[in-house]
Amino acid sequence: MSTASSLNIERKVLELGTPLLLDGGQSLPEMRVAYETCGTLNAAKDNAILICHALTGDHHVVSDHPKTGKPGWWVRMVGPGKPIDTDRYFIICANVIGSCMGSTGPASLAPDGEPWAKRFPVITIRDMVKGHIAVLDALGIDALHAVVGGSMGGMQALSLASNFAERTRAALVIASTARHSAQNIAFHEVGRQAIMADPEWREGNYYAHGKGPEKGLSVARMAAHITYLSEAGLTDKFGRRLQNREEKTFGFDADFQIESYLRYQGLSFTDRFDANSYLYITRAMDYFDLAEEHGGMLANAFAGSKARFCLVSFDTDWLYPTAESRNVTHALNAAGLPVSFVELSAPYGHDSFLLDVPALDRVVEGFLG
Amino acid sequence: MSTASSLNIERKVLELGTPLLLDGGQSLPEMRVAYETCGTLNAAKDNAILICHALTGDHHVVSDHPKTGKPGWWVRMVGPGKPIDTDRYFIICANVIGSCMGSTGPASLAPDGEPWAKRFPVITIRDMVKGHIAVLDALGIDALHAVVGGSMGGMQALSLASNFAERTRAALVIASTARHSAQNIAFHEVGRQAIMADPEWREGNYYAHGKGPEKGLSVARMAAHITYLSEAGLTDKFGRRLQNREEKTFGFDADFQIESYLRYQGLSFTDRFDANSYLYITRAMDYFDLAEEHGGMLANAFAGSKARFCLVSFDTDWLYPTAESRNVTHALNAAGLPVSFVELSAPYGHDSFLLDVPALDRVVEGFLG
């Protein structure tokens, strides 16, 4: 790609030499972590920024997606002269373990040569962060300039700043939360049940049988997708407009644009994502409760940290609403850490962190310095 | 049941003598409408109140549910001395056509002796109201004292007051809307796709093959159920509490109470509801747009009405939020009709209209007089 040389994009896979001990008590042998870097690590190795991706994201933060061919998922934020400036910073983004884009997950082969499938251990957000720490170790980076993430990426940023406090000097947490609420868990459970209800799921052992539980995964994605958008945003974008027709058909076709859009979102998702990975990653998010990991007091989670923090929420985000960011901010205040918190106005709901919100660009640029 | 004599409960089935012409252009022969009455119709036949039920509701407003054995769905509101007072008013509640509790729906037998299944025509809210009007005709009731309904029942109340304006002197519309929003349609589409993705659905022809698309219907109900509850209500009721265990299991069982609750809601729903009815009724709701029926101006929908109106919303209802009731109120104001509108505070989200909200009781009692 034409910008590769200026961005200095590299894609690598780290093979962990030792088994990764997981929060659930098991350990994963033969772990791999796929990651992308761009920019240049300076001699002091103190200009690295780790970007953490969201549930269905990947490490292709600036490079084209290998399956869809689409541009990297955060090219609007990351690049030369952009808010996360690759002329100044060395950017790392690692695929989370449990995923299906290069790091070890349920679709990967276990030591017996068969896919892990449901034998893959249930992992946590902290386990994902352990994978990231292994990458930092491999690169010889003692401490990050900052860890940055939106949504599930924000959970990883919080977990890293808490559990590996010495490894970052700053954390930027966007549209995220320190714990999954009952409603968050509920929506994920609907998605999991949709996948597991599909007979093509075959208790997770679908890899040798064609394409797997595509219909169930599609329904799961449709349900989740609604939570990423605001009610007003959906009304603006689709309203009750019909899809390529003048009249309602009095049938069950996709009469409305919103139906057609959702069906497309569901269907296209199955081309790029593994259903078992969806189960495992949603489970990790549901298990996430940073306070619980630290005796039930969120402030205690940050006892070992000396980092600066920035929390950003969006007024139309009903998945991780502003109250969740405020909750983290209060805990950081209680821990005596420097924290700035801003609620931005944007019409796009939870997905605002990925979209064109100039105010977010200014916050990111200002915080990273 | 012990209260039957004092309530004077009667269950009847009206067999329509002539085919019912539907909004979609088809007509339904051999239509039946099942309904329940209680209280006593006075000689002037001017003390009747029609109660309209919600999506998965039925006409058993005060009598025990024939399948679940549970008390009628609105016994807290309807009865002697209650806000809808059976000592004064004659109460009618009819099962909507398209449903599966006695009125003709997709599970009913078509003239050829086979279930209608997907041959059943797609109906509208107005078509459901035509069924109710047939009941009023059969009972010799020219005009209702009031039509009352929550959620989809409120849509029927609005449709009746608009399209059969001379048939009611008042309309009480609770937690409802004059049109389904893009987000409303989106959630319903997820449910329909979950049902239709289940191979047991068999393109709707499952009646001769055991129990039908239970897994798909269960997922549909789980997704919908989340929209009936508020985020804060879910947090209060379940939070992140575990279900009968001390520790997370690091697996995909229902570790959290909210998961167990949702699975139960989904599973028990399949015992009492027909999957095809769910498809048809959600479709009718998605098609509902009272303004569109009247040239795009909601005020025009009420041009023929002389009724009093009362709109009630709940502050935690994010399915049909207060703005929707306000929208109707503005239209009624523009039409010059007497309307009162109140937003009540209640923690239960959309389901508040069915639950213990004393302020609602007072509004209902005050409006009905």
Side-chain angles (χ1 to χ4, degrees), chain B residues 45-88:
Chain B
K45 296 193 174 186
D46 64 1
N47 72 328
I49 292 176
L50 175 69
I51 295 176
C52 302
H53 70 72
L55 165 51
T56 67
D58 51 60
H59 50 299
H60 302 292
V61 67
V62 284
S63 69
D64 293 352
H65 192 284
K67 289 183 183 170
T68 67
K70 290 184 181 172
W73 60 268
W74 227 11
V75 286
R76 65 174 304 284
M77 190 65 81
V78 182
K82 292 187 178 176
I84 300 178
D85 190 347
T86 51
D87 289 339
R88 300 177 58 201

mmCIF file of all heavy atoms in Angstrom, chain B residues 45-88:
data_model
loop_
_atom_site.group_PDB
_atom_site.id
_atom_site.type_symbol
_atom_site.label_atom_id
_atom_site.label_comp_id
_atom_site.label_asym_id
_atom_site.label_seq_id
_atom_site.Cartn_x
_atom_site.Cartn_y
_atom_site.Cartn_z
ATOM 1 N N LYS B 45 -76.347 0.775 27.329
ATOM 2 C CA LYS B 45 -75.126 0.251 26.676
ATOM 3 C C LYS B 45 -74.060 1.341 26.494
ATOM 4 O O LYS B 45 -73.382 1.400 25.460
ATOM 5 C CB LYS B 45 -75.476 -0.394 25.322
ATOM 6 C CG LYS B 45 -76.384 -1.624 25.475
ATOM 7 C CD LYS B 45 -76.468 -2.436 24.203
ATOM 8 C CE LYS B 45 -77.258 -3.732 24.466
ATOM 9 N NZ LYS B 45 -77.267 -4.627 23.310
ATOM 10 N N ASP B 46 -73.956 2.199 27.495
ATOM 11 C CA ASP B 46 -72.970 3.286 27.386
ATOM 12 C C ASP B 46 -71.902 3.220 28.478
ATOM 13 O O ASP B 46 -71.199 4.201 28.721
ATOM 14 C CB ASP B 46 -73.678 4.648 27.396
ATOM 15 C CG ASP B 46 -74.398 4.935 28.710
ATOM 16 O OD1 ASP B 46 -74.339 4.084 29.636
ATOM 17 O OD2 ASP B 46 -75.026 6.005 28.814
ATOM 18 N N ASN B 47 -71.810 2.066 29.140
ATOM 19 C CA ASN B 47 -70.783 1.951 30.203
ATOM 20 C C ASN B 47 -69.697 0.938 29.863
ATOM 21 O O ASN B 47 -69.087 0.345 30.750
ATOM 22 C CB ASN B 47 -71.450 1.589 31.538
ATOM 23 C CG ASN B 47 -71.954 0.146 31.560
ATOM 24 O OD1 ASN B 47 -72.342 -0.360 30.506
ATOM 25 N ND2 ASN B 47 -71.960 -0.480 32.729
ATOM 26 N N ALA B 48 -69.454 0.746 28.569
ATOM 27 C CA ALA B 48 -68.462 -0.269 28.177
ATOM 28 C C ALA B 48 -67.067 0.342 28.013
ATOM 29 O O ALA B 48 -66.910 1.437 27.462
ATOM 30 C CB ALA B 48 -68.887 -0.928 26.869
ATOM 31 N N ILE B 49 -66.087 -0.373 28.519
ATOM 32 C CA ILE B 49 -64.678 -0.002 28.328
ATOM 33 C C ILE B 49 -63.986 -1.161 27.605
ATOM 34 O O ILE B 49 -64.053 -2.309 28.064
ATOM 35 C CB ILE B 49 -63.980 0.278 29.679
ATOM 36 C CG1 ILE B 49 -64.561 1.551 30.316
ATOM 37 C CG2 ILE B 49 -62.471 0.404 29.488
ATOM 38 C CD1 ILE B 49 -63.991 1.858 31.696
ATOM 39 N N LEU B 50 -63.364 -0.862 26.489
ATOM 40 C CA LEU B 50 -62.598 -1.869 25.757
ATOM 41 C C LEU B 50 -61.138 -1.768 26.178
ATOM 42 O O LEU B 50 -60.529 -0.695 26.069
ATOM 43 C CB LEU B 50 -62.715 -1.639 24.243
ATOM 44 C CG LEU B 50 -61.868 -2.558 23.355
ATOM 45 C CD1 LEU B 50 -62.390 -4.000 23.390
ATOM 46 C CD2 LEU B 50 -61.816 -2.043 21.916
ATOM 47 N N ILE B 51 -60.616 -2.863 26.669
ATOM 48 C CA ILE B 51 -59.192 -2.915 27.014
ATOM 49 C C ILE B 51 -58.472 -3.669 25.894
ATOM 50 O O ILE B 51 -58.903 -4.762 25.494
ATOM 51 C CB ILE B 51 -58.981 -3.621 28.371
ATOM 52 C CG1 ILE B 51 -59.628 -2.790 29.488
ATOM 53 C CG2 ILE B 51 -57.494 -3.839 28.630
ATOM 54 C CD1 ILE B 51 -59.558 -3.443 30.854
ATOM 55 N N CYS B 52 -57.406 -3.082 25.391
ATOM 56 C CA CYS B 52 -56.643 -3.700 24.296
ATOM 57 C C CYS B 52 -55.324 -4.241 24.842
ATOM 58 O O CYS B 52 -54.634 -3.558 25.610
ATOM 59 C CB CYS B 52 -56.375 -2.669 23.204
ATOM 60 S SG CYS B 52 -57.874 -1.937 22.528
ATOM 61 N N HIS B 53 -54.993 -5.455 24.455
ATOM 62 C CA HIS B 53 -53.802 -6.086 25.043
ATOM 63 C C HIS B 53 -52.539 -5.858 24.208
ATOM 64 O O HIS B 53 -52.596 -5.419 23.051
ATOM 65 C CB HIS B 53 -54.054 -7.571 25.319
ATOM 66 C CG HIS B 53 -54.176 -8.444 24.108
ATOM 67 N ND1 HIS B 53 -53.108 -8.774 23.313
ATOM 68 C CD2 HIS B 53 -55.249 -9.082 23.562
ATOM 69 C CE1 HIS B 53 -53.516 -9.579 22.344
ATOM 70 N NE2 HIS B 53 -54.811 -9.778 22.460
ATOM 71 N N ALA B 54 -51.418 -6.191 24.801
ATOM 72 C CA ALA B 54 -50.106 -5.947 24.196
ATOM 73 C C ALA B 54 -49.664 -7.135 23.334
ATOM 74 O O ALA B 54 -50.380 -8.134 23.214
ATOM 75 C CB ALA B 54 -49.085 -5.660 25.288
ATOM 76 N N LEU B 55 -48.498 -7.021 22.739
ATOM 77 C CA LEU B 55 -47.960 -7.981 21.759
ATOM 78 C C LEU B 55 -48.195 -9.439 22.136
ATOM 79 O O LEU B 55 -48.759 -10.206 21.365
ATOM 80 C CB LEU B 55 -46.460 -7.696 21.588
ATOM 81 C CG LEU B 55 -45.548 -8.717 20.916
ATOM 82 C CD1 LEU B 55 -46.075 -9.181 19.572
ATOM 83 C CD2 LEU B 55 -44.164 -8.133 20.740
ATOM 84 N N THR B 56 -47.735 -9.825 23.302
ATOM 85 C CA THR B 56 -47.833 -11.237 23.681
ATOM 86 C C THR B 56 -48.950 -11.456 24.688
ATOM 87 O O THR B 56 -48.985 -12.490 25.349
ATOM 88 C CB THR B 56 -46.499 -11.730 24.263
ATOM 89 O OG1 THR B 56 -46.279 -11.050 25.502
ATOM 90 C CG2 THR B 56 -45.351 -11.448 23.309
ATOM 91 N N GLY B 57 -49.839 -10.479 24.799
ATOM 92 C CA GLY B 57 -50.940 -10.582 25.748
ATOM 93 C C GLY B 57 -52.109 -11.367 25.192
ATOM 94 O O GLY B 57 -52.014 -12.052 24.165
ATOM 95 N N ASP B 58 -53.206 -11.275 25.884
ATOM 96 C CA ASP B 58 -54.400 -12.001 25.488
ATOM 97 C C ASP B 58 -55.603 -11.325 26.128
ATOM 98 O O ASP B 58 -55.471 -10.308 26.799
ATOM 99 C CB ASP B 58 -54.289 -13.474 25.919
ATOM 100 C CG ASP B 58 -53.910 -13.599 27.379
ATOM 101 O OD1 ASP B 58 -54.682 -13.102 28.235
ATOM 102 O OD2 ASP B 58 -52.830 -14.143 27.679
ATOM 103 N N HIS B 59 -56.789 -11.941 25.944
ATOM 104 C CA HIS B 59 -58.017 -11.347 26.442
ATOM 105 C C HIS B 59 -58.304 -11.715 27.893
ATOM 106 O O HIS B 59 -59.305 -11.267 28.444
ATOM 107 C CB HIS B 59 -59.197 -11.753 25.543
ATOM 108 C CG HIS B 59 -59.267 -13.229 25.278
ATOM 109 N ND1 HIS B 59 -58.262 -13.912 24.635
ATOM 110 C CD2 HIS B 59 -60.221 -14.147 25.575
ATOM 111 C CE1 HIS B 59 -58.608 -15.191 24.534
ATOM 112 N NE2 HIS B 59 -59.777 -15.359 25.110
ATOM 113 N N HIS B 60 -57.432 -12.506 28.505
ATOM 114 C CA HIS B 60 -57.674 -12.916 29.892
ATOM 115 C C HIS B 60 -57.204 -11.821 30.843
ATOM 116 O O HIS B 60 -56.233 -11.970 31.572
ATOM 117 C CB HIS B 60 -56.986 -14.248 30.167
ATOM 118 C CG HIS B 60 -57.449 -15.323 29.240
ATOM 119 N ND1 HIS B 60 -58.729 -15.821 29.282
ATOM 120 C CD2 HIS B 60 -56.838 -15.940 28.206
ATOM 121 C CE1 HIS B 60 -58.877 -16.727 28.324
ATOM 122 N NE2 HIS B 60 -57.745 -16.813 27.652
ATOM 123 N N VAL B 61 -57.918 -10.727 30.806
ATOM 124 C CA VAL B 61 -57.511 -9.547 31.546
ATOM 125 C C VAL B 61 -57.737 -9.733 33.037
ATOM 126 O O VAL B 61 -56.961 -9.236 33.855
ATOM 127 C CB VAL B 61 -58.238 -8.305 30.958
ATOM 128 C CG1 VAL B 61 -59.728 -8.355 31.200
ATOM 129 C CG2 VAL B 61 -57.646 -7.012 31.457
ATOM 130 N N VAL B 62 -58.774 -10.478 33.403
ATOM 131 C CA VAL B 62 -59.002 -10.741 34.835
ATOM 132 C C VAL B 62 -59.104 -12.234 35.148
ATOM 133 O O VAL B 62 -58.954 -12.636 36.304
ATOM 134 C CB VAL B 62 -60.285 -10.038 35.367
ATOM 135 C CG1 VAL B 62 -60.034 -8.552 35.553
ATOM 136 C CG2 VAL B 62 -61.469 -10.273 34.457
ATOM 137 N N SER B 63 -59.370 -13.063 34.155
ATOM 138 C CA SER B 63 -59.495 -14.501 34.456
ATOM 139 C C SER B 63 -58.134 -15.185 34.323
ATOM 140 O O SER B 63 -57.230 -14.677 33.669
ATOM 141 C CB SER B 63 -60.499 -15.148 33.491
ATOM 142 O OG SER B 63 -59.987 -15.184 32.176
ATOM 143 N N ASP B 64 -58.025 -16.328 34.959
ATOM 144 C CA ASP B 64 -56.747 -17.051 34.939
ATOM 145 C C ASP B 64 -56.378 -17.445 33.512
ATOM 146 O O ASP B 64 -57.237 -17.828 32.712
ATOM 147 C CB ASP B 64 -56.850 -18.323 35.798
ATOM 148 C CG ASP B 64 -57.025 -17.994 37.274
ATOM 149 O OD1 ASP B 64 -56.913 -16.807 37.631
ATOM 150 O OD2 ASP B 64 -57.283 -18.931 38.058
ATOM 151 N N HIS B 65 -55.083 -17.394 33.233
ATOM 152 C CA HIS B 65 -54.582 -17.783 31.910
ATOM 153 C C HIS B 65 -54.784 -19.290 31.723
ATOM 154 O O HIS B 65 -54.374 -20.081 32.573
ATOM 155 C CB HIS B 65 -53.100 -17.424 31.796
ATOM 156 C CG HIS B 65 -52.554 -17.518 30.396
ATOM 157 N ND1 HIS B 65 -52.272 -18.707 29.796
ATOM 158 C CD2 HIS B 65 -52.256 -16.561 29.499
ATOM 159 C CE1 HIS B 65 -51.798 -18.478 28.570
ATOM 160 N NE2 HIS B 65 -51.793 -17.179 28.371
ATOM 161 N N PRO B 66 -55.404 -19.687 30.617
ATOM 162 C CA PRO B 66 -55.724 -21.112 30.459
ATOM 163 C C PRO B 66 -54.493 -22.014 30.331
ATOM 164 O O PRO B 66 -54.572 -23.203 30.628
ATOM 165 C CB PRO B 66 -56.553 -21.131 29.169
ATOM 166 C CG PRO B 66 -56.217 -19.871 28.450
ATOM 167 C CD PRO B 66 -55.873 -18.867 29.495
ATOM 168 N N LYS B 67 -53.362 -21.468 29.895
ATOM 169 C CA LYS B 67 -52.170 -22.316 29.747
ATOM 170 C C LYS B 67 -51.259 -22.252 30.975
ATOM 171 O O LYS B 67 -50.752 -23.259 31.438
ATOM 172 C CB LYS B 67 -51.378 -21.915 28.497
ATOM 173 C CG LYS B 67 -52.084 -22.290 27.193
ATOM 174 C CD LYS B 67 -51.242 -21.952 25.977
ATOM 175 C CE LYS B 67 -52.000 -22.281 24.682
ATOM 176 N NZ LYS B 67 -51.325 -21.752 23.488
ATOM 177 N N THR B 68 -51.032 -21.042 31.484
ATOM 178 C CA THR B 68 -50.078 -20.904 32.589
ATOM 179 C C THR B 68 -50.755 -20.986 33.944
ATOM 180 O O THR B 68 -50.085 -21.203 34.956
ATOM 181 C CB THR B 68 -49.349 -19.561 32.507
ATOM 182 O OG1 THR B 68 -50.303 -18.502 32.761
ATOM 183 C CG2 THR B 68 -48.722 -19.347 31.145
ATOM 184 N N GLY B 69 -52.078 -20.784 33.986
ATOM 185 C CA GLY B 69 -52.781 -20.781 35.269
ATOM 186 C C GLY B 69 -52.561 -19.505 36.075
ATOM 187 O O GLY B 69 -53.084 -19.370 37.186
ATOM 188 N N LYS B 70 -51.795 -18.566 35.529
ATOM 189 C CA LYS B 70 -51.536 -17.318 36.259
ATOM 190 C C LYS B 70 -52.773 -16.416 36.229
ATOM 191 O O LYS B 70 -53.591 -16.494 35.308
ATOM 192 C CB LYS B 70 -50.348 -16.581 35.633
ATOM 193 C CG LYS B 70 -49.016 -17.280 35.879
ATOM 194 C CD LYS B 70 -47.863 -16.461 35.331
ATOM 195 C CE LYS B 70 -46.528 -17.180 35.555
ATOM 196 N NZ LYS B 70 -45.420 -16.520 34.870
ATOM 197 N N PRO B 71 -52.906 -15.532 37.224
ATOM 198 C CA PRO B 71 -54.054 -14.617 37.241
ATOM 199 C C PRO B 71 -54.078 -13.734 35.998
ATOM 200 O O PRO B 71 -53.056 -13.540 35.331
ATOM 201 C CB PRO B 71 -53.807 -13.765 38.497
ATOM 202 C CG PRO B 71 -52.824 -14.531 39.317
ATOM 203 C CD PRO B 71 -52.001 -15.315 38.348
ATOM 204 N N GLY B 72 -55.242 -13.217 35.680
ATOM 205 C CA GLY B 72 -55.379 -12.308 34.546
ATOM 206 C C GLY B 72 -54.322 -11.215 34.588
ATOM 207 O O GLY B 72 -53.871 -10.800 35.653
ATOM 208 N N TRP B 73 -53.946 -10.731 33.395
ATOM 209 C CA TRP B 73 -52.748 -9.878 33.306
ATOM 210 C C TRP B 73 -52.950 -8.475 33.867
ATOM 211 O O TRP B 73 -51.968 -7.752 34.075
ATOM 212 C CB TRP B 73 -52.244 -9.821 31.866
ATOM 213 C CG TRP B 73 -53.218 -9.277 30.844
ATOM 214 C CD1 TRP B 73 -54.088 -10.007 30.100
ATOM 215 C CD2 TRP B 73 -53.403 -7.915 30.458
ATOM 216 N NE1 TRP B 73 -54.808 -9.189 29.271
ATOM 217 C CE2 TRP B 73 -54.411 -7.884 29.467
ATOM 218 C CE3 TRP B 73 -52.818 -6.705 30.838
ATOM 219 C CZ2 TRP B 73 -54.846 -6.704 28.854
ATOM 220 C CZ3 TRP B 73 -53.248 -5.530 30.232
ATOM 221 C CH2 TRP B 73 -54.253 -5.532 29.253
ATOM 222 N N TRP B 74 -54.233 -8.071 34.121
ATOM 223 C CA TRP B 74 -54.410 -6.718 34.654
ATOM 224 C C TRP B 74 -55.345 -6.718 35.857
ATOM 225 O O TRP B 74 -56.099 -5.761 36.056
ATOM 226 C CB TRP B 74 -54.907 -5.752 33.565
ATOM 227 C CG TRP B 74 -54.142 -4.459 33.534
ATOM 228 C CD1 TRP B 74 -52.988 -4.161 34.195
ATOM 229 C CD2 TRP B 74 -54.479 -3.271 32.791
ATOM 230 N NE1 TRP B 74 -52.567 -2.883 33.910
ATOM 231 C CE2 TRP B 74 -53.467 -2.311 33.037
ATOM 232 C CE3 TRP B 74 -55.512 -2.926 31.924
ATOM 233 C CZ2 TRP B 74 -53.463 -1.033 32.466
ATOM 234 C CZ3 TRP B 74 -55.511 -1.646 31.356
ATOM 235 C CH2 TRP B 74 -54.499 -0.717 31.628
ATOM 236 N N VAL B 75 -55.283 -7.786 36.649
ATOM 237 C CA VAL B 75 -56.158 -7.852 37.834
ATOM 238 C C VAL B 75 -55.868 -6.729 38.820
ATOM 239 O O VAL B 75 -56.726 -6.346 39.599
ATOM 240 C CB VAL B 75 -56.041 -9.210 38.573
ATOM 241 C CG1 VAL B 75 -56.744 -10.306 37.796
ATOM 242 C CG2 VAL B 75 -54.596 -9.573 38.838
ATOM 243 N N ARG B 76 -54.654 -6.198 38.774
ATOM 244 C CA ARG B 76 -54.373 -5.113 39.714
ATOM 245 C C ARG B 76 -55.104 -3.822 39.322
ATOM 246 O O ARG B 76 -55.297 -2.938 40.149
ATOM 247 C CB ARG B 76 -52.874 -4.862 39.856
ATOM 248 C CG ARG B 76 -52.156 -4.354 38.624
ATOM 249 C CD ARG B 76 -50.700 -4.013 38.945
ATOM 250 N NE ARG B 76 -50.609 -3.059 40.032
ATOM 251 C CZ ARG B 76 -50.865 -1.766 39.907
ATOM 252 N NH1 ARG B 76 -51.207 -1.276 38.742
ATOM 253 N NH2 ARG B 76 -50.772 -0.954 40.935
ATOM 254 N N MET B 77 -55.508 -3.735 38.066
ATOM 255 C CA MET B 77 -56.148 -2.513 37.569
ATOM 256 C C MET B 77 -57.657 -2.670 37.387
ATOM 257 O O MET B 77 -58.399 -1.694 37.492
ATOM 258 C CB MET B 77 -55.498 -2.155 36.229
ATOM 259 C CG MET B 77 -55.848 -0.788 35.658
ATOM 260 S SD MET B 77 -55.243 0.575 36.697
ATOM 261 C CE MET B 77 -53.522 0.670 36.185
ATOM 262 N N VAL B 78 -58.094 -3.902 37.128
ATOM 263 C CA VAL B 78 -59.491 -4.138 36.742
ATOM 264 C C VAL B 78 -60.199 -5.008 37.789
ATOM 265 O O VAL B 78 -59.731 -6.112 38.089
ATOM 266 C CB VAL B 78 -59.564 -4.851 35.363
ATOM 267 C CG1 VAL B 78 -61.016 -5.047 34.937
ATOM 268 C CG2 VAL B 78 -58.787 -4.064 34.307
ATOM 269 N N GLY B 79 -61.295 -4.539 38.307
ATOM 270 C CA GLY B 79 -62.058 -5.326 39.277
ATOM 271 C C GLY B 79 -62.975 -4.422 40.079
ATOM 272 O O GLY B 79 -62.993 -3.200 39.877
ATOM 273 N N PRO B 80 -63.746 -5.002 40.995
ATOM 274 C CA PRO B 80 -64.659 -4.193 41.811
ATOM 275 C C PRO B 80 -63.888 -3.178 42.650
ATOM 276 O O PRO B 80 -62.972 -3.551 43.395
ATOM 277 C CB PRO B 80 -65.341 -5.233 42.713
ATOM 278 C CG PRO B 80 -65.139 -6.548 42.029
ATOM 279 C CD PRO B 80 -63.833 -6.431 41.301
ATOM 280 N N GLY B 81 -64.203 -1.916 42.495
ATOM 281 C CA GLY B 81 -63.553 -0.864 43.269
ATOM 282 C C GLY B 81 -62.156 -0.519 42.812
ATOM 283 O O GLY B 81 -61.491 0.336 43.399
ATOM 284 N N LYS B 82 -61.702 -1.186 41.759
ATOM 285 C CA LYS B 82 -60.356 -0.889 41.247
ATOM 286 C C LYS B 82 -60.421 0.256 40.229
ATOM 287 O O LYS B 82 -61.511 0.688 39.854
ATOM 288 C CB LYS B 82 -59.756 -2.161 40.645
ATOM 289 C CG LYS B 82 -59.460 -3.205 41.739
ATOM 290 C CD LYS B 82 -58.720 -4.399 41.211
ATOM 291 C CE LYS B 82 -58.417 -5.373 42.366
ATOM 292 N NZ LYS B 82 -57.791 -6.603 41.905
ATOM 293 N N PRO B 83 -59.259 0.761 39.794
ATOM 294 C CA PRO B 83 -59.289 1.934 38.900
ATOM 295 C C PRO B 83 -60.184 1.735 37.673
ATOM 296 O O PRO B 83 -60.856 2.676 37.257
ATOM 297 C CB PRO B 83 -57.820 2.094 38.503
ATOM 298 C CG PRO B 83 -57.067 1.573 39.685
ATOM 299 C CD PRO B 83 -57.876 0.408 40.187
ATOM 300 N N ILE B 84 -60.182 0.548 37.108
ATOM 301 C CA ILE B 84 -61.173 0.236 36.063
ATOM 302 C C ILE B 84 -62.214 -0.629 36.762
ATOM 303 O O ILE B 84 -62.042 -1.848 36.920
ATOM 304 C CB ILE B 84 -60.520 -0.469 34.855
ATOM 305 C CG1 ILE B 84 -59.436 0.443 34.252
ATOM 306 C CG2 ILE B 84 -61.571 -0.805 33.792
ATOM 307 C CD1 ILE B 84 -58.678 -0.163 33.082
ATOM 308 N N ASP B 85 -63.273 0.026 37.196
ATOM 309 C CA ASP B 85 -64.176 -0.514 38.220
ATOM 310 C C ASP B 85 -65.279 -1.351 37.570
ATOM 311 O O ASP B 85 -66.157 -0.816 36.880
ATOM 312 C CB ASP B 85 -64.768 0.650 39.017
ATOM 313 C CG ASP B 85 -65.528 0.178 40.244
ATOM 314 O OD1 ASP B 85 -65.814 -1.040 40.354
ATOM 315 O OD2 ASP B 85 -65.849 1.031 41.091
ATOM 316 N N THR B 86 -65.231 -2.640 37.815
ATOM 317 C CA THR B 86 -66.229 -3.540 37.223
ATOM 318 C C THR B 86 -67.599 -3.405 37.887
ATOM 319 O O THR B 86 -68.583 -3.953 37.386
ATOM 320 C CB THR B 86 -65.758 -5.007 37.319
ATOM 321 O OG1 THR B 86 -65.375 -5.266 38.680
ATOM 322 C CG2 THR B 86 -64.589 -5.248 36.400
ATOM 323 N N ASP B 87 -67.658 -2.700 39.007
ATOM 324 C CA ASP B 87 -68.982 -2.411 39.589
ATOM 325 C C ASP B 87 -69.704 -1.325 38.781
ATOM 326 O O ASP B 87 -70.926 -1.201 38.856
ATOM 327 C CB ASP B 87 -68.845 -1.938 41.044
ATOM 328 C CG ASP B 87 -68.440 -3.065 41.978
ATOM 329 O OD1 ASP B 87 -68.645 -4.243 41.604
ATOM 330 O OD2 ASP B 87 -67.897 -2.780 43.068
ATOM 331 N N ARG B 88 -68.953 -0.558 38.042
ATOM 332 C CA ARG B 88 -69.556 0.539 37.280
ATOM 333 C C ARG B 88 -69.503 0.296 35.776
ATOM 334 O O ARG B 88 -70.376 0.716 35.031
ATOM 335 C CB ARG B 88 -68.830 1.850 37.589
ATOM 336 C CG ARG B 88 -68.878 2.256 39.066
ATOM 337 C CD ARG B 88 -68.074 3.524 39.288
ATOM 338 N NE ARG B 88 -68.554 4.633 38.451
ATOM 339 C CZ ARG B 88 -67.813 5.695 38.152
ATOM 340 N NH1 ARG B 88 -66.554 5.783 38.571
ATOM 341 N NH2 ARG B 88 -68.316 6.659 37.403
#
